[in-house]
Amino acid sequence: MSDAQFQTALALYKDGRHVEAERLLRQAAQGGHSPAMSLLGYQMLSGRGAPLDRVAGIRMTLAAADRGETAASTVAAALIAAGVFGAPDWPRALDYLLRGAQGGFPMAQAQLRLLAGGTGDDWASLRGAVDIEAWRAAPAPRILRREPSVKAFEGVASFAVCDWIIGRARDRLAPATVYDRSGRDVVGAVRSNTSFELGLADLDLVVLALRERLAAVAGLPVMNLNAPQVLHYAVGQRFEPHVDFFDPDIPDQARNIASVGQRAATVLVYLNEDGLEGGETDFPKANLRHRGAKGDALVFHNLDAAGRPDRRTLHTGLAPTRGEKWLLSQWIRDGALRA
């Protein structure tokens, strides 16, 4: 009966009858139907298709993965590497990713190839070739400014990884928001680009491995990283001058600092360059304008040596005059966060 409920639920989702679909999906999942458990787990993790319930979503996803469901195994791999069960456990995460790849799940297979830098379909060999310590190695920096601290790093991400990240976001972009004085994320006139946040349900081991490297280039722990965002700028779209730190003089932002920590550093990874003109990151108070090549990173520290907000980090995301601009934006707090 669970399989029939699952298939009916899928048909109802396609017809837009989400309430009925969710009811049948939950019934199938409660009956132990692994694909239903996997889908419901993802929906609860993401809040898309079912009410957001991360704890229940994590448990459902892991239960489906332990039943051998390949999509759930792939999502569980990311949850384990992100540290939702405690410290990140990369060997265990890669074992779950291997299950997904061996079960024929294309997303798991593509991740293994990218992580190992290999080809073919010997999944066990590819899993064995993944060197997470190599992902944690940072290239030498090029110091652009000492005060404020702004550094460039070449070749932080391979072209294939850049393309993977763009592919994850391209069809999921929405108007980018800003954090206003009342402590809310809102769409505002100061920002005309689009973005997609890779939240807990959307992380994968390729993005998480890259985050290990971004933590290394910033010199901060990986558990301090916020959810990364993919940013897209079409011709004429820009982000007006702004700072990334929370202002302790604004009460709602001060409460945010006390709750989840200050944004100590920002890392930008340049994901494309072909056909792109303009689109630099401009620091008017530091007399600096920079745009990296595909796969390069820019790191700037939003706090000064005394830990105070550094207003010299005021910056603008300039509009491309030709082509489109893709970036991965990663904020890093001054204290540990959960993924």
Side-chain angles (χ1 to χ4, degrees), residues 45 54-55 58 78-86 88 197-203 208 211 222-228 330 336-339:
L45 277 172
R54 289 194 177 95
V55 172
I58 288 168
L79 297 175
I80 292 164
V84 299
F85 302 107
E197 181 175 287
L198 288 155
L200 187 60
D202 302 301
L203 289 172
L208 288 165
R211 277 161 51 99
V222 71
M223 294 305 288
N224 292 24
L225 273 63
N226 275 101
Q330 178 65 72
L337 295 171
R338 288 291 177 182

Side-chain angles (χ1 to χ4, degrees), residues 13-297:
Y13 277 122
K14 289 182 180 179
D15 289 341
R17 297 161 64 183
H18 291 178
V19 174
E20 296 171 73
E22 183 193 342
R23 178 178 57 79
L24 284 177
L25 187 65
R26 288 185 181 275
Q27 290 178 0
Q30 290 167 0
H33 189 266
S34 296
M37 294 169 66
S38 177
L39 178 56
L40 182 60
Y42 176 80
Q43 290 178 337
M44 290 189 292
L45 277 172
S46 64
R48 297 188 285 268
L52 181 67
D53 187 340
R54 289 194 177 95
V55 172
I58 288 168
R59 290 173 178 166
M60 185 73 74
T61 298
L62 193 60
D66 287 340
R67 287 171 172 261
E69 212 287 320
T70 56
S73 295
T74 306
V75 175
L79 297 175
I80 292 164
V84 299
F85 302 107
D89 187 341
W90 275 91
R92 186 181 175 212
L94 289 166
D95 287 343
Y96 273 85
L97 189 66
L98 176 60
R99 291 186 199 178
Q102 289 176 330
F105 193 52
M107 189 171 180
Q109 295 170 346
Q111 287 181 59
L112 266 184
R113 292 187 181 112
L114 283 169
L115 289 165
T119 59
D121 56 6
D122 186 343
W123 309 118
S125 294
L126 286 169
R127 183 258 179 265
V130 178
D131 184 356
I132 192 60
E133 290 306 318
W135 281 92
R136 291 177 174 138
R142 179 162 60 94
I143 297 174
L144 302 180
R145 291 290 184 275
R146 293 191 182 276
E147 293 185 1
S149 175
V150 185
K151 300 175 184 177
F153 295 82
E154 294 182 357
V156 166
S158 70
F159 283 16
V161 168
C162 291
D163 293 342
W164 170 265
I165 294 170
I166 291 174
R168 295 296 318 278
R170 185 178 290 278
D171 296 328
R172 309 167 83 179
L173 296 167
T177 61
V178 294
Y179 193 84
D180 72 0
R181 295 179 69 90
S182 67
R184 298 175 301 149
D185 288 314
V186 298
V187 175
V190 299
R191 192 175 191 184
S192 56
N193 68 294
T194 54
S195 69
F196 173 66
E197 181 175 287
L198 288 155
L200 187 60
D202 302 301
L203 289 172
D204 59 63
L205 261 62
V206 175
V207 173
L208 288 165
L210 178 60
R211 277 161 51 99
E212 295 278 348
R213 185 166 292 161
L214 301 187
V217 300
L220 290 165
V222 71
M223 294 305 288
N224 292 24
L225 273 63
N226 275 101
Q229 297 181 57
V230 182
L231 311 180
H232 176 261
Y233 292 77
V235 170
Q237 292 182 337
R238 59 185 277 139
F239 194 171
E240 300 293 344
H242 63 283
V243 293
D244 286 350
F245 58 77
F246 292 121
D247 192 334
D249 294 330
I250 299 175
D252 283 300
Q253 296 193 19
R255 283 191 285 272
N256 195 300
I257 296 170
S259 174
V260 294
Q262 179 63 280
R263 291 175 183 163
T266 300
V267 185
L268 299 176
V269 181
Y270 298 90
L271 299 177
N272 75 306
E273 59 181 316
D274 289 347
L276 173 63
E277 293 179 4
E280 299 90 349
T281 306
D282 181 53
F283 296 84
K285 292 186 176 182
N287 191 28
L288 173 66
R289 183 172 289 190
H290 179 81
R291 192 187 82 210
K294 182 175 181 176
D296 292 351

